[in-house]
Amino acid sequence: MNILVLGSGGREHTFAYKIAQSSLCQKLFVAPGNAGTASIATNVAIAVTDFSAIKELVIKENIEMVVVGPEDPLVRGISDYFAEDNELKNVVVIGPSKEGAQLEGSKEYAKEFLVRHNIPTAAYQSFTADTVEKGKDFLETLNPPYVLKADGLAAGKGVLILQDIDEAKAELENMLTNKKFGAASEKVVIEEFLDGIELSVFVLTDGKNYLTLPTAKDYKRIGEGDTGLNTGGMGAISPVPFADDELMAKIENQIIKPTVDGLAQENIDYKGFIFIGLIKVGNDPKVIEYNVRMGDPETEAVLPRVKNDLVSLFKGVGNQSLNTITLDVDERTATAVVAVSGGYPEAYEKNKVITGLDTIEDSIVFHAGTKLDGDNVVTSGGRVLAVTSFDKDFREALKKSYKNLEKLDFDKVYYRKDLGFDLTS
Ligand code: AMP
Ligand code: GLY
């Protein structure tokens, strides 16, 4: 069949890389894609939220499956757009309905869902401009640090963690009254701070059945030792060494199953990935967030470990037969180290020529912010490349990623050299 991947990052290059290996895929399109996807698929210059242009492409190219990378088109209802259109309704869309996407699109919606289904999460209350003063009173009842979350999508910047009560009150006011994050902060969730180590689990569900994909841990801060500004992600390690059988059983029984069952009970149409962000507090997992897509750069470490044909997994999602499929996972650890443009996540320059791509040995280079400029591959974003390597543990795998990163170059390239610093085994 002909397949379309929507998006342009490392996650989408990884999807395309796996899909291109499938004998079930005839023609592969990526919109808009990057220089990496251009080498294994046909890039089409269409924005991921331009639904009518996507429809035209799907019909013209006889596309039977659409894999949605980022959350934006999902939150805007791309799955419903396909389901409600006579010419598109038979296309398999990997990504939930607009209602399901609210798990990521609204923090309050997600918290209410978690509470309804008794899934462990941080205690919380939510507030609007009319209830700012009540919000300040609620802050007084909590211990620092204080966690403030803009309700809506805020490009990963909508969460503030503050030590000082006066600063927390001022920021609450800023978010609600001055709309610090625009419409996204018309509502703010204030929640209890959870003290522990983070990990993420990824679930592929057909709405009834699910497969739990390998765990991963990402490194969000720009600086070594987890310091400095938040980024989209500077690297990922899969599996997470501390996610032992006991913790995974708790995650499955207390979190994954009630989530999938809860969606089904509420008749929320959900065919796609659920990315569950967790904090392990003591020995217990608690949910800090849902995302309705795969993570980036987690995908670059998780998917290469999945040996199954990705298209058959997606077909299983489409016809609700994931219960007949067993995951086959590479036992080795995969590490993905991200090379970014100097200055990122603040201002940075683009169009820098990338060299060394043809010298890579023993790693896979997934492109994120790259494009073709004549015969050159040049930078076109903050996160530029993710270098994925396998080995028996994360230290050995990282050595390979770092060795290859030394051979890759562009003006002001930067990457973190301390991934895994917080892991002991
Ligand atoms: P989110 O956008 O909800 O993933 O939040 C961004 C980051 O803030 C998370 O990856 C955590 O590091 C941190 N965070 C969010 N909620 C909490 C919480 N309740 N307690 C501690 N850290 C949190
Ligand atoms: N790496 C975090 C995310 O994809 O949201």
Side-chain angles (χ1 to χ4, degrees):
M1 67 167 84
N2 296 346
I3 301 176
L4 168 65
V5 175
L6 292 178
S8 61
R11 167 180 52 209
E12 288 77 18
H13 187 189
T14 314
F15 281 141
Y17 167 86
K18 285 285 293 175
I19 292 170
Q21 291 169 359
S22 168
S23 57
L24 298 168
C25 177
Q26 267 148 359
K27 272 195 193 163
L28 177 59
F29 299 88
V30 185
N34 58 38
T37 62
S39 68
I40 49 175
T42 304
N43 283 356
V44 189
I46 294 177
V48 296
T49 49
D50 188 347
F51 294 176
S52 53
I54 293 169
K55 172 177 175 174
E56 220 172 283
L57 175 72
V58 165
I59 290 170
K60 179 167 150 242
E61 298 292 351
N62 198 16
I63 287 166
E64 292 176 82
M65 180 179 281
V66 177
V67 182
V68 186
E71 64 279 11
D72 206 13
L74 294 167
V75 172
R76 291 180 195 218
I78 192 165
S79 290
D80 311 68
Y81 179 87
F82 272 70
E84 288 159 12
D85 187 305
N86 269 336
E87 291 174 285
L88 300 177
K89 66 180 185 213
N90 293 325
V91 176
V92 174
V93 178
I94 302 301
S97 62
K98 189 172 182 171
E99 174 77 16
Q102 284 294 95
L103 283 183
E104 177 164 2
S106 163
K107 302 269 186 206
E108 187 185 43
Y109 180 97
K111 295 297 287 193
E112 287 173 351
F113 179 90
L114 288 160
V115 170
R116 269 200 306 282
H117 297 287
N118 263 319
I119 300 170
T121 187
Y124 82 104
Q125 283 190 27
S126 57
F127 300 93
T128 62
D130 293 337
T131 55
V132 179
E133 294 309 316
K134 285 202 179 112
K136 291 180 186 169
D137 293 344
F138 182 60
L139 283 170
E140 290 282 359
T141 70
L142 300 173
N143 296 319
Y146 305 95
V147 182
L148 308 183
K149 299 186 171 184
D151 178 61
L153 290 183
K157 300 198 172 84
V159 177
L160 301 180
I161 299 184
L162 305 159
Q163 286 297 334
D164 182 74
I165 181 90
D166 292 325
E167 204 186 333
K169 287 181 182 173
E171 285 294 356
L172 179 70
E173 177 106 35
N174 234 338
M175 286 166 94
L176 289 172
T177 316
N178 307 330
K179 302 211 173 85
K180 174 170 178 154
F181 299 108
S185 66
E186 277 170 6
K187 224 181 250 173
V188 170
V189 168
I190 300 180
E191 75 179 31
E192 163 202 16
F193 180 81
L194 299 176
D195 197 6
I197 187 157
E198 283 184 49
L199 75 154
S200 299
V201 297
F202 304 91
V203 177
L204 181 65
T205 182
D206 59 18
K208 275 201 309 214
N209 313 289
Y210 65 87
L211 295 171
T212 304
L213 302 174
T215 57
K217 186 169 183 356
D218 83 331
Y219 291 83
K220 287 202 180 79
R221 302 292 194 93
I222 188 73
E224 296 190 352
D226 279 347
T227 54
L229 293 173
N230 255 323
T231 71
M234 298 296 293
I237 292 174
S238 174
V240 178
F242 61 83
D244 55 19
D245 290 348
E246 193 190 333
L247 183 68
M248 288 312 291
K250 284 184 184 168
I251 292 173
E252 173 123 31
N253 294 326
Q254 298 171 15
I255 294 169
I256 299 176
K257 239 181 145 315
T259 298
V260 174
D261 291 348
L263 289 165
Q265 265 166 34
E266 295 189 30
N267 287 319
I268 297 170
D269 189 13
Y270 204 115
K271 291 195 167 91
F273 292 99
I274 317 175
F275 160 172
I276 312 178
L278 302 166
I279 297 190
K280 177 176 172 254
V281 184
N283 281 320
D284 291 313
K286 293 196 181 195
V287 175
I288 43 169
E289 67 167 346
Y290 285 118
N291 293 302
V292 298
R293 51 172 176 83
M294 281 298 288
D296 193 349
E298 291 92 329
T299 305
E300 293 92 299
V302 168
L303 274 193
R305 294 187 57 221
V306 174
K307 293 188 194 164
N308 302 63
D309 178 324
L310 192 60
V311 179
S312 23
L313 293 184
F314 288 159
K315 279 182 81 171
V317 171
N319 59 25
Q320 292 199 304
S321 64
L322 278 187
N323 54 321
T324 64
I325 300 178
T326 308
L327 268 191
D328 184 10
V329 174
D330 192 321
E331 288 298 317
R332 293 173 301 167
T333 290
T335 56
V337 182
V338 177
V340 305
S341 301
Y344 172 81
E346 296 183 285
Y348 56 84
E349 292 170 28
K350 296 183 186 175
N351 297 310
K352 306 293 183 191
V353 174
I354 303 169
T355 57
L357 287 165
D358 51 358
T359 65
I360 300 306
E361 284 166 71
D362 236 9
S363 294
I364 314 166
V365 178
F366 293 113
H367 291 227
T370 71
K371 64 175 187 186
L372 288 170
D373 179 13
D375 288 340
N376 287 326
V377 176
V378 300
T379 65
S380 68
R383 290 188 291 170
V384 177
L385 302 166
V387 179
T388 295
S389 314
F390 286 96
D391 214 311
K392 63 179 194 306
D393 60 33
F394 72 87
R395 288 188 185 84
E396 295 302 315
L398 281 170
K399 273 187 204 159
K400 290 183 184 165
S401 288
Y402 289 133
K403 196 167 162 212
N404 279 308
L405 274 156
E406 276 171 28
K407 299 193 272 183
L408 291 166
D409 197 30
F410 52 87
D411 186 33
K412 301 198 181 75
V413 57
Y414 168 76
Y415 54 91
R416 273 180 63 171
K417 298 188 180 66
D418 71 330
L419 298 195
F421 78 95
D422 52 347
L423 303 173
T424 48
S425 54

